[in-house]
Amino acid sequence: MKFLKRHAYALVFTLFLMGANVYSLLKVFVIPSAVSTVSANTTSSSTSSSTASTSTGKVTKTDTTYKDDNMDIKITTGKTSDTTYYVADIKLSSADYLKTALAQNTYGTNITDTTSSIAQQNNAIFAINGDYYGANQSGYVIKNGQVYRDTDRNSDYEDLAVYSDGSFKTFNESDTTAQKLVDSGVVNTFAFGPTLVENGKIAVLENEEVGQAMADNPRTAIGVIEESDGSVHYIVIVSDGRTSESSGLTLYEMAELMKSYGVKTAYNLDGGGSSTMYFNGQVINKPTTNGNKISERAVSDIVYIGY
């Protein structure tokens, strides 16, 4: 009893610190915190162009194809010695049809939903997971021309900037500001990485990895082949992994695949359990976090093709 009285202040202070630390961790990783909301399936007026159309014309589609007056999307499945991957060859009459969307149409911390759910809410024809911006407290976040976060992330990896003409360029956040990017025509940024292909050449080393992640992983990557006269040609690859049927790809293997399709620039997005490809109303790959269950992991944002 004397001990408790003598050390009561220290015990209370310790408990307070512990509680504060627990709350801080929960706030960062668990507790949803909305900052702003956006409208579903809309493009910022600052990025809309007169070349974009909301009229699809005649639509023809199968389980692996979609085509109308403005879009031509083909999905193929490939196999390495131990990994299944899915390739989307995407040709658009306007770069405006490449968009991003936020989970629950809300920007904030720990606001998540599955790729397929976000895609359906935004009438997406095709979609993949984005960079999971909500897992970080820093790093530029520009989506559909709007700056949501302008805090520089402390990372050696470069970000990807997508311009209004559909072109890609990688950059280091310390070399610019979010507002300067928007002023130069950037409509979307992705802060994950690394850059896989730059100027048509592989930009990663054979043993390079994201943080402490294991080498073979489910992966999501996006690349651009060309942009000309308003039209643009993209390649998107998603690989399965962490299962007995599909072990996954290394960053270098993903870079090799991207280079084989002739991309000028390719960038690594969030992977692991987040890696998901959605097309014509269905998830076409087998997303998994640990190999025990085939299911989508909820994410902060997606990249999609739609009107």
Side-chain angles (χ1 to χ4, degrees), residues 71-90:
M71 305 176 186
D72 187 352
I73 306 172
K74 295 183 178 68
I75 309 294
T76 56
T77 302
K79 183 81 174 180
T80 64
S81 58
D82 58 1
T83 299
T84 301
Y85 59 90
Y86 308 82
V87 182
D89 188 299
I90 303 168

Side-chain angles (χ1 to χ4, degrees), residues 15-38:
L15 289 172
F16 173 78
L17 285 179
M18 291 176 62
N21 287 335
V22 169
Y23 175 75
S24 296
L25 290 171
L26 289 173
K27 186 176 181 180
V28 171
F29 297 108
V30 179
I31 301 173
S33 177
V35 176
S36 61
T37 58
V38 297

